[in-house]
Amino acid sequence: MSDVLRIENLGHSYGKFKVIEDISLSIGKGEMSALIGPNGAGKTTFYNAISGHFPPTKGKVFLNGEEITGLTSHKVVDKGMCRSFQITNIFSELTVLENVIAPLIIQRGKHFKIYGNIFKDKQIVDSAMQTLEQVGLSDRADQVVANLAYGDKRLVEMAIVLARKPSVVLLDEPTAGMNPEETENMIALIKKLATGSGTTFFITEHDMKVVFSLAEKIYVLHQGHLLAQGSPEQIRSNEQVQEAYLGRKVHA
């Protein structure tokens, strides 16, 4: 299994305060991995540093063997790594289809000033519809996003990310705010996409049921350091991990 994402000695500081320090990990192509940790462990800073939100203070990030350390977020996306945010990042006033067409316009170097005519581009429309089919929203393509249920809005966000055909997707709390049925549907969708899309998913999630349902390998951050890594079974039984979660055992 070749590494699609490799991180070497990553660190980020604000002045003398080290938020994350010396984090190294490798994710193989097609491997489903998860990053967990208590609030304040440094997960968001870690995601921001590898996705181009800001450059890390130290360390290197490699995507498909190419160093992307310090690239801006849009350049990181161009290289093949996309991020889905915890809070839905979509255009509520547009239709589902229009939301998915938007990143395809950008990817092809087109401009929003011709957006009104973009439906004449069969290639873009077909590609957007194929992505909506992947996430189960093709029958709602013409619906305005503002009118959708919360779970469906998260699916639109997933479609926006997948439309760029990324090699790696960072999923930030993919089930946040969802009810149990929506959560189960999202778990099933991520499993299906991980198997059939050729995309590698790296998730951060507080819901341990979601983590243990999806991840083949789990990385645990605590106070900015990588506390543990291993299979779900190894993480579940790790006493240091249990202590990091305020003494509570990690349940599947």
Side-chain angles (χ1 to χ4, degrees):
M1 183 184 293
S2 60
D3 292 338
V4 65
L5 180 63
R6 187 172 84 254
I7 296 159
E8 298 180 354
N9 304 115
L10 195 77
H12 190 76
S13 303
Y14 295 102
K16 294 182 179 180
F17 179 62
K18 296 179 179 179
V19 184
I20 53 174
E21 178 70 10
D22 288 326
I23 299 173
S24 297
L25 58 86
S26 296
I27 297 175
K29 182 176 175 59
E31 183 179 47
M32 179 74 75
S33 302
L35 180 71
I36 66 172
N39 289 333
K43 301 187 298 297
T44 298
T45 298
F46 173 82
Y47 259 24
N48 286 339
I50 68 173
S51 62
H53 187 72
F54 50 67
T57 306
K58 60 174 289 189
K60 296 181 179 181
V61 181
F62 297 86
L63 180 66
N64 295 313
E66 179 182 0
E67 186 175 358
I68 61 168
T69 314
L71 292 184
T72 59
S73 57
H74 73 274
K75 289 184 178 179
V76 170
V77 170
D78 288 340
K79 294 293 183 181
M81 182 162 65
C82 294
R83 179 178 177 182
S84 173
F85 287 88
Q86 181 178 359
I87 301 173
T88 51
N89 187 27
I90 54 181
F91 301 106
S92 296
E93 73 278 8
L94 300 181
T95 67
V96 171
L97 179 58
E98 287 168 340
N99 266 272
V100 181
I101 283 177
L104 295 177
I105 296 173
I106 296 170
Q107 186 178 38
R108 286 160 173 77
K110 299 181 183 293
H111 302 284
F112 282 99
K113 66 181 180 182
I114 63 167
Y115 195 82
N117 298 321
I118 203 63
F119 289 101
K120 295 180 180 179
D121 190 323
K122 186 175 185 300
Q123 184 180 13
I124 286 182
V125 174
D126 287 349
S127 180
M129 287 302 298
Q130 288 171 8
T131 303
L132 290 177
E133 182 70 32
Q134 281 185 295
V135 302
L137 287 178
S138 58
D139 61 337
R140 301 179 189 178
D142 295 329
Q143 291 189 21
V144 175
V145 169
N147 297 329
L148 297 179
Y150 177 78
D152 288 337
K153 291 179 181 177
R154 297 307 302 265
L155 293 179
V156 173
E157 186 188 30
M158 180 76 81
I160 291 171
V161 170
L162 293 174
R164 295 295 299 263
K165 301 292 190 292
S167 55
V168 175
V169 171
L170 307 178
L171 291 178
D172 191 354
E173 302 282 350
T175 65
M178 289 186 173
N179 62 40
E181 182 180 359
E182 290 170 336
T183 296
E184 290 298 328
N185 290 339
M186 181 60 79
I187 290 172
L189 174 63
I190 295 171
K191 286 182 177 179
K192 183 183 76 170
L193 293 171
T195 302
S197 70
T199 300
T200 300
F201 291 89
F202 186 24
I203 71 171
T204 181
E205 177 63 69
H206 281 101
D207 188 333
M208 290 298 99
K209 180 180 179 180
V210 175
V211 171
F212 287 118
S213 295
L214 290 172
E216 302 169 72
K217 190 169 186 178
I218 300 172
Y219 299 90
V220 185
L221 276 184
H222 182 56
Q223 296 181 351
H225 291 82
L226 194 60
L227 176 67
Q229 59 181 289
S231 67
E233 292 75 19
Q234 291 171 323
I235 296 301
R236 187 184 290 112
S237 61
N238 188 303
E239 292 184 1
Q240 288 183 303
V241 173
Q242 294 176 13
E243 289 179 8
Y245 279 92
L246 306 178
R248 294 172 296 183
K249 291 189 176 181
V250 181
H251 298 286

